[in-house]
Amino acid sequence: MKSAVETLNPTRVRLTVEVPFEELKDSLDAAYKKINQQVTVKGFRKGKVPARVIDQRFGRGAVLEEAVNDALPKFYTDAVNEAELSVLGQPEVDITELKDGETLNFTAEVDIRPSIEIPDFSGIEVEVDAVEVTDEDVDKAVEELRERFASTAPVERAAEDGDVVTIDLRAKVDGEVLEDGVADGVSYTIGSGELLEGIDDAVKGLEAGGEATFTSELKGGSAAGKEAEVTVKVTQVAKRELPELDDEFAQLASEFDTIEELRADSRKRLENMKQYDQATQAQERVLEKLLDLVEVPVPEKLLEDEINTRKHNLEHHQLGQMGLDLAKYLEIQGKSEEEFDAETKEAAVKGIKTQFVLDELVKQEKLNVNQEELTEHLMRRAASSGMSPDQFAQAVVEGGQVPLLVGEVARGKALAVVVEKATVKDTNGEVIDLDDEEDETESAEAEATEASAEEKTEG
């Protein structure tokens, strides 16, 4: 086999491959064997039809077509390996010549990873938000904790903002009550914005036994997006009662004995979270500066596929779970379809460039991923997906996604190399040593993950 490579542009090549006919022998034998198992010829046992009879009955062309289809992937792979190409996606193959007994010639056009030169990045400088926790921040955190320990007590009066009402709902569209538009005994905090638009005004002022009707657009269900006439009946009004902010509350809500110890711990947690946010901000801004330094051509087909994947995931997964379609989502966002397409393309280009640049850095810096690093990454991904580590690991293995996870870890290490050499200052002009914050940010990340898991459980 002989092959040659023609560069069409920085991200696409054409392979020209010439295969001597004798190298098709194994595939021809396999083709005859396969056809033998599929056909019946009178006078011959199944699977024992001679090659000359197959040629006469079914045509030599059918055999050649089967053999070439079987052989092409191997010859293409051999040509790619010989040229040491890093290909992307599937090739466009064109058989240019097939002479029985003489030769097989074909071309294959395919996208490749572009050659990237990583310049000196040690001079990168970025500014991030300073870590500042105010008394007001601490007050808010403690108040949120206090809200979690609130109790309710039924009252005999009209419902007000902040009250918890128990309600029955009936939703009608075109005068008919929807099968999935009936809900009884729903607990709702007035002003929380967690149910239908207009419900707050409808229930405020009602006592137990009172009812009202209002019009609202349904967020989900069989009539999502349609205007419905909703009848709401209040069966109970309850007042939220917050515990006193004293030492007794500290002992109830935490492992601390005093409210001052609880406030001090809240301050420390907020500092950790802001340090984590600061480190994340530093990574994002350093990456942006790095991408600005590197010329990265993007393959058109890869970009098209990435854009389509992002749109598909948004429309069929994220929006679908929210009961929205793309048109409604754009309306809520106040964006035109053209603006959405431009933003999606921009994000796709950035994603592809990021992967190319960081993958090149992985090679340049000779970075490896060990089992401990992969396990830690898997645990974090499992937590963010709401799955147990065992479930997530099984899904990754069954889906053949292990190399993707390894790539994510390796790219994270590559970015860490760049961040380490960059100068990071906060808005106060102080130089930030992110290594000093590593333990705190990991702790904060763990706390954030736990908080997220708690919210999902409570929801």
Side-chain angles (χ1 to χ4, degrees):
M1 184 195 81
K2 294 193 302 183
S3 64
V5 180
E6 177 188 358
T7 300
L8 302 178
N9 61 49
T11 62
R12 194 167 179 83
V13 297
R14 179 187 292 123
L15 287 162
T16 301
V17 184
E18 298 178 10
V19 183
F21 204 80
E22 56 267 22
E23 292 187 33
L24 282 172
K25 182 180 183 309
D26 289 345
S27 293
L28 279 168
D29 291 344
Y32 278 116
K33 187 174 181 180
K34 183 176 180 180
I35 293 173
N36 238 313
Q37 299 301 320
Q38 295 174 338
V39 301
T40 301
V41 177
K42 190 175 181 180
F44 298 94
R45 285 182 296 158
K46 194 172 184 65
K48 299 296 183 180
V49 183
R52 59 180 174 76
V53 175
I54 290 176
D55 288 346
Q56 290 168 357
R57 289 291 186 91
F58 306 102
R60 173 72 166 176
V63 180
L64 286 175
E65 182 179 354
E66 181 66 39
V68 169
N69 288 339
D70 175 73
L72 273 178
K74 175 186 178 301
F75 293 128
Y76 166 72
T77 301
D78 288 346
V80 166
N81 293 337
E82 184 179 292
E84 297 182 343
L85 298 174
S86 180
V87 299
L88 302 166
Q90 296 300 312
E92 294 180 8
V93 178
D94 180 28
I95 298 173
T96 55
E97 187 175 25
L98 176 58
K99 289 186 177 178
D100 194 359
E102 294 184 28
T103 187
L104 162 66
N105 296 337
F106 69 91
T107 62
E109 287 191 18
V110 66
D111 287 332
I112 59 169
R113 280 180 177 265
S115 177
I116 298 173
E117 290 290 330
I118 306 291
D120 178 22
F121 49 77
S122 60
I124 289 178
E125 292 187 14
V126 297
E127 184 180 74
V128 295
D129 295 336
V131 173
E132 296 174 345
V133 177
T134 66
D135 290 342
E136 288 75 15
D137 293 331
V138 177
D139 291 342
K140 182 180 178 183
V142 173
E143 189 63 28
E144 287 173 354
L145 181 62
R146 187 186 182 202
E147 289 278 349
R148 289 172 58 182
F149 284 85
S151 59
T152 58
V155 291
E156 294 184 4
R157 59 163 172 76
E160 302 173 355
D161 265 329
D163 284 344
V164 179
V165 289
T166 304
I167 53 178
D168 298 337
L169 294 165
R170 300 288 184 275
K172 288 183 180 180
V173 173
D174 298 330
E176 296 290 328
V177 176
L178 301 169
E179 285 187 19
D180 56 354
V182 177
D184 292 332
V186 177
S187 180
Y188 175 66
T189 301
I190 300 176
S192 66
E194 293 174 352
L195 281 178
L196 298 168
E197 187 175 341
I199 195 168
D200 288 338
D201 291 336
V203 298
K204 275 192 293 187
L206 294 181
E207 297 184 21
E211 66 176 59
T213 301
F214 64 101
T215 302
S216 184
E217 184 178 301
L218 298 178
K219 294 181 180 179
S222 61
K226 292 185 178 180
E227 288 287 325
E229 182 184 273
V230 183
T231 300
V232 55
K233 180 178 180 180
V234 176
T235 59
Q236 179 180 277
V237 179
K239 180 181 179 182
R240 286 172 57 83
E241 296 181 345
L242 297 174
E244 291 294 326
L245 286 177
D246 52 19
D247 293 347
E248 186 177 337
F249 169 70
Q251 294 161 21
L252 170 68
S254 71
E255 70 271 31
F256 302 105
D257 293 326
T258 69
I259 192 67
E260 287 309 313
E261 288 175 326
L262 173 59
R263 287 180 61 83
D265 181 69
S266 296
R267 184 179 294 275
K268 182 62 176 174
R269 285 172 177 264
L270 288 170
E271 287 174 351
N272 288 346
M273 292 296 290
K274 290 202 173 188
Q275 284 173 340
Y276 173 71
D277 291 342
Q278 186 185 65
T280 302
Q281 194 178 64
Q283 289 180 332
E284 292 171 350
R285 294 183 179 179
V286 167
L287 176 60
E288 288 174 3
K289 287 288 185 74
L290 176 64
L291 295 180
D292 287 342
L293 292 176
V294 187
E295 186 70 30
V296 186
V298 176
E300 289 183 14
K301 182 66 168 62
L302 182 65
L303 177 58
E304 179 184 335
D305 290 345
E306 178 67 14
I307 290 172
N308 290 337
T309 297
R310 287 171 181 258
K311 285 184 176 180
H312 178 85
N313 288 340
L314 176 66
E315 290 188 63
H316 295 90
H317 297 296
Q318 295 161 262
L319 296 183
Q321 292 175 357
M322 298 163 61
L324 298 174
D325 59 17
L326 183 58
K328 186 62 181 176
Y329 169 75
L330 293 179
E331 181 185 329
I332 293 170
Q333 294 290 314
K335 294 177 184 174
S336 66
E337 192 168 340
E338 291 74 19
E339 289 172 328
F340 169 73
D341 287 342
E343 288 179 6
T344 303
K345 181 178 180 180
E346 183 181 354
V349 168
K350 183 179 179 181
I352 293 169
K353 286 185 174 182
T354 297
Q355 183 170 336
F356 284 172
V357 170
L358 294 183
D359 283 347
E360 184 63 30
L361 269 171
V362 169
K363 287 198 304 183
Q364 184 175 297
E365 300 290 330
K366 296 181 173 59
L367 300 175
N368 295 309
V369 176
N370 60 41
Q371 186 60 48
E372 183 181 356
E373 291 167 334
L374 183 59
T375 300
E376 288 177 358
H377 184 64
L378 187 147
M379 298 279 280
R380 286 195 294 269
R381 286 287 304 272
S384 64
S385 69
M387 300 169 69
S388 73
D390 287 344
Q391 288 174 325
F392 187 78
Q394 183 178 352
V396 166
V397 172
E398 290 178 354
Q401 304 294 302
V402 174
L404 291 180
L405 255 64
V406 172
E408 288 174 3
V409 178
R411 286 189 282 275
K413 294 178 72 172
L415 180 55
V417 169
V418 184
V419 173
E420 184 181 348
K421 294 185 179 180
T423 300
V424 181
K425 293 182 179 180
D426 67 16
T427 48
N428 294 328
E430 296 290 330
V431 175
I432 306 299
D433 187 347
L434 295 173
D435 287 338
D436 289 345
E437 299 179 3
E438 186 173 347
D439 291 339
E440 285 89 346
T441 55
E442 286 180 0
S443 172
E445 182 178 20
E447 290 168 7
T449 300
E450 290 168 10
S452 174
E454 286 178 9
E455 288 173 8
K456 288 177 183 175
T457 302
E458 291 169 2

